[in-house]
């Protein structure tokens, strides 16, 4: 308990944030969700803008420990989620996305291929909808879809263009990814080398809070990719893509409940069975 108190004092001194004390018997959605409430003057974007060298290593360690604790809790809750409820929420979430104006208006997007073993929100209908554009559409007008391919264990991930579900192969973890080359032996288009920008990125995660903070699975793949793409969009003077997270009800925590580290990228909006929740000004524009 003494070590925890010291970590809390260090964190408070460096950033104004006070991490929650771990309560093993307390559900994420109650005490833990409400106990991490930094001042409103400290936003997710302010913390994320800091360099990791700016924060005391002990402070960073305290933040990462809080994240590990939340991940453990959310994994258990997802594992225990009722299969019928999961199926109902999958359908509700995908219905909301498919009917959303920001999805219908999107001409080029990134989306993940859901994995049942990871208990991710199902995206199969979303992916199929994008790939099922009318066959008489020419290549110039057909919507583009880029999906993730993990390159290594150093958080490097690429988004490669696919035109069919047959373009996907199972990796060593039995997760579907795009093959590096198409059936003609041509290299697949990498979104980082594409001539045109994507306008929508559908993001997975273990948990999200109502201020846009995202808790990933700990590999840092999405945060690194999103930062690189946002930098590319800035360099090219493109409009930033809308980052929309899809989430089961139990994965949404109270505002500012997720600890923030400098590498974290916040999302613009959440989609849960309850509906579309805009957070950033860009997302609020779609809700008017």
């Amino acid at each position: 308990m003494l070590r925890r108190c010291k970590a809390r004092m260090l964190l408070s001194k460096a950033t104004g944030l006070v991490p929650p004390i771990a309560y093993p018997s307390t559900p994420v959605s109650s005490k833990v969700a409400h106990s991490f409430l930094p001042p409103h003057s400290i936003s997710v974007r302010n913390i994320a803008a800091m360099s990791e060298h700016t924060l005391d290593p002990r402070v960073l360690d305290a933040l990462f420990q809080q994240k590990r604790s939340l991940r453990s809790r959310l994994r258990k809750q997802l594992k225990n989620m009722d299969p019928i409820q999961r199926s109902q929420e999958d359908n509700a979430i995908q219905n909301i996305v498919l009917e959303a104006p920001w999805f219908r208006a999107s001409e080029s997007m990134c989306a993940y291929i859901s994995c049942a073993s990871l208990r991710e929100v199902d995206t199969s209908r979303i992916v199929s909808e994008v790939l099922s554009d009318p066959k008489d559409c020419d290549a110039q007008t057909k919507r583009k879809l880029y999906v993730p391919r993990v390159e290594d264990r150093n958080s490097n991930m690429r988004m490669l263009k696919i035109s069919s579900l047959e373009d996907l192969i199972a990796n060593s973890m039995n997760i579907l990814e795009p093959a590096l080359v198409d059936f003609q032996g041509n290299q697949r288009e990498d979104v980082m080398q594409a001539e045109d920008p994507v306008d929508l990125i559908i993001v997975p995660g273990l948990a999200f809070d109502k201020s846009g903070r995202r808790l990933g699975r700990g590999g840092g793949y999405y945060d690194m990719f999103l930062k690189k793409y946002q930098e590319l969009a800035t360099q090219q003077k493109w409009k930033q893509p809308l980052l929309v997270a899809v989430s089961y009800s139990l994965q949404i925590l109270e505002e500012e409940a997720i600890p923030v580290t400098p590498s974290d990228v916040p999302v613009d909006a959440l989609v849960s069975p309850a509906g579309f929740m805009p957070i950033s000004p860009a997302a609020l524009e779609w809700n008017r």
Side-chain angles (χ1 to χ4, degrees):
M1 178 62 76
L2 183 59
R3 289 183 180 178
R4 292 182 198 170
C5 291
K6 287 182 177 179
R8 286 164 61 81
M9 291 174 65
L10 283 168
L11 187 56
S12 177
K13 182 178 180 181
T15 65
L17 304 178
V18 181
I21 296 176
Y23 296 96
S25 61
T26 306
V28 173
S29 58
S30 55
K31 290 186 179 179
V32 173
H34 288 84
S35 58
F36 190 89
L37 292 173
H40 289 291
S41 59
I42 306 290
S43 73
V44 60
R45 288 164 179 79
N46 291 337
I47 299 299
M50 295 181 183
S51 164
E52 291 197 4
H53 300 292
T54 304
L55 297 177
D56 187 300
R58 292 168 294 179
V59 173
L60 275 177
D61 184 63
L63 288 168
F64 287 130
Q65 179 56 43
Q66 294 298 332
K67 287 191 173 189
R68 285 191 289 270
S69 177
L70 276 175
R71 285 192 186 100
S72 177
R73 294 170 188 274
L74 265 297
R75 287 193 179 102
K76 289 178 182 177
Q77 288 187 342
L78 285 169
K79 182 178 180 180
N80 295 329
M81 188 176 180
D82 179 71
I84 295 176
Q85 180 185 356
R86 182 189 302 278
S87 178
Q88 291 173 339
E89 294 203 5
D90 279 331
N91 285 329
I93 291 166
Q94 291 188 95
N95 286 340
I96 292 166
V97 172
L98 293 172
E99 295 171 5
W102 41 266
F103 175 79
R104 291 180 175 276
S106 176
E107 297 179 357
S108 183
M109 72 180 73
C110 296
Y112 71 95
I113 304 296
S114 53
C115 176
S117 63
L118 293 178
R119 298 177 177 85
E120 294 175 320
V121 171
D122 186 13
T123 59
S124 58
R125 289 171 55 207
I126 296 169
V127 170
S128 295
E129 174 69 19
V130 179
L131 295 176
S132 65
D133 278 344
K135 293 182 179 179
D136 56 356
C137 282
D138 58 46
Q140 299 298 320
T141 59
K142 192 178 176 79
R143 281 205 285 185
K144 290 185 177 181
L145 176 65
Y146 301 86
V147 299
R149 178 186 172 92
V150 172
E151 293 294 289
D152 53 38
R153 294 188 178 183
N154 297 317
S155 303
N156 292 306
M157 180 181 76
R158 300 168 68 189
M159 287 280 184
L160 303 181
K161 181 176 175 288
I162 64 169
S163 56
S164 166
L165 293 176
E166 295 178 0
D167 295 337
L168 303 173
I169 56 175
N171 65 13
S172 59
M173 296 180 65
N174 205 34
I175 298 173
L176 292 176
E177 295 183 324
L180 287 172
V181 296
D182 61 22
F183 69 94
Q184 295 178 327
N186 299 317
Q187 289 285 329
R188 294 195 182 281
E189 182 176 273
D190 188 318
V191 74
M192 297 297 292
Q193 276 79 53
E195 294 182 1
D196 300 311
V198 295
D199 40 39
L200 172 64
I201 301 179
I202 296 179
V203 184
L206 266 180
F208 307 90
D209 69 26
K210 294 178 182 178
S211 52
R213 300 178 180 189
R214 171 182 172 272
L215 180 71
R217 295 181 179 275
Y221 291 95
Y222 264 88
D223 286 319
M224 182 174 287
F225 165 75
L226 292 173
K227 282 202 169 184
K228 286 181 179 178
Y229 194 82
Q230 288 175 336
E231 290 170 0
L232 174 66
T234 299
Q235 292 169 5
Q236 298 287 357
K237 295 182 171 55
W238 291 336
K239 183 179 179 180
Q240 292 291 341
L242 189 71
L243 308 185
V244 177
V246 288
S247 172
Y248 293 122
S249 300
L250 66 83
Q251 292 177 289
I252 296 182
L253 309 184
E254 292 303 312
E255 188 173 351
E256 298 182 334
I258 296 175
V260 180
T261 53
S263 60
D264 293 338
V265 177
V267 297
D268 294 303
L270 302 176
V271 175
S272 75
F276 176 66
M277 183 189 300
I279 298 169
S280 73
L284 286 166
E285 285 295 319
W286 287 103
N287 214 38
R288 289 182 177 177

